[in-house]
Amino acid sequence: QVHLIESGGDAVQAGGSLKLSCVASERTFSNYDMAWFRQAPGMEREFVAAITSHSSTYYADSMKGRFIIARDNAKNTAYLHLNSLKPEDTAVYYCAAADGLAPDYSSAYEWSFWGQGTQVTVSS
């Protein structure tokens, strides 16, 4: 069982930036693939980005270039840098982990472990 704790969510103005963190309890964190999803009210959970255990990265097309996923295995932590934020980025952002990247990695069903989420609110 991997426990994930997100932090870093906040209320910011459009154009601002945030850095989200996801700390994992698992000592073999480096073996896990990590991802970020987000969910706005009334919407399905949406894939944002993923990073493999070998640090290959994948992004949703709509977020490529604005968001950056990273990891620090020494700190058991994954990060999501949010830049040039827009009001439509407002959502709860969730961290997820899996032991192996599924072909359909953009589906929330392919990820085994989830954090509780952190709220990001962007005002215009």
Side-chain angles (χ1 to χ4, degrees):
Q1 186 76 10
V2 179
H3 295 284
L4 304 172
I5 300 176
E6 303 99 330
S7 63
D10 204 348
V12 297
Q13 291 192 330
S17 299
L18 284 173
K19 177 183 174 181
L20 307 184
S21 299
C22 171
V23 179
S25 62
E26 179 57 50
R27 287 183 294 175
T28 58
F29 170 79
S30 61
N31 294 339
Y32 285 81
D33 300 308
M34 304 296 296
W36 288 91
F37 285 75
R38 69 184 186 183
Q39 189 166 20
M43 304 293 286
E44 292 188 356
R45 197 162 294 192
E46 176 185 28
F47 173 75
V48 175
I51 185 166
T52 70
S53 59
H54 299 289
S55 295
S56 295
T57 57
Y58 303 85
Y59 293 94
D61 287 342
S62 62
M63 298 163 214
K64 199 175 297 184
R66 291 195 302 126
F67 296 174
I68 300 173
I69 191 170
R71 65 190 298 157
D72 184 339
N73 291 335
K75 296 182 178 180
N76 280 14
T77 302
Y79 302 98
L80 185 67
H81 299 266
L82 309 176
N83 301 306
S84 302
L85 284 162
K86 305 174 183 179
E88 51 264 42
D89 295 319
T90 295
V92 177
Y93 283 72
Y94 295 92
C95 174
D99 184 9
L101 192 68
D104 191 15
Y105 56 81
S106 64
S107 170
Y109 295 103
E110 299 293 345
W111 296 87
S112 305
F113 306 104
W114 292 86
Q116 83 290 348
T118 186
Q119 176 71 46
V120 172
T121 303
V122 185
S123 59
S124 58

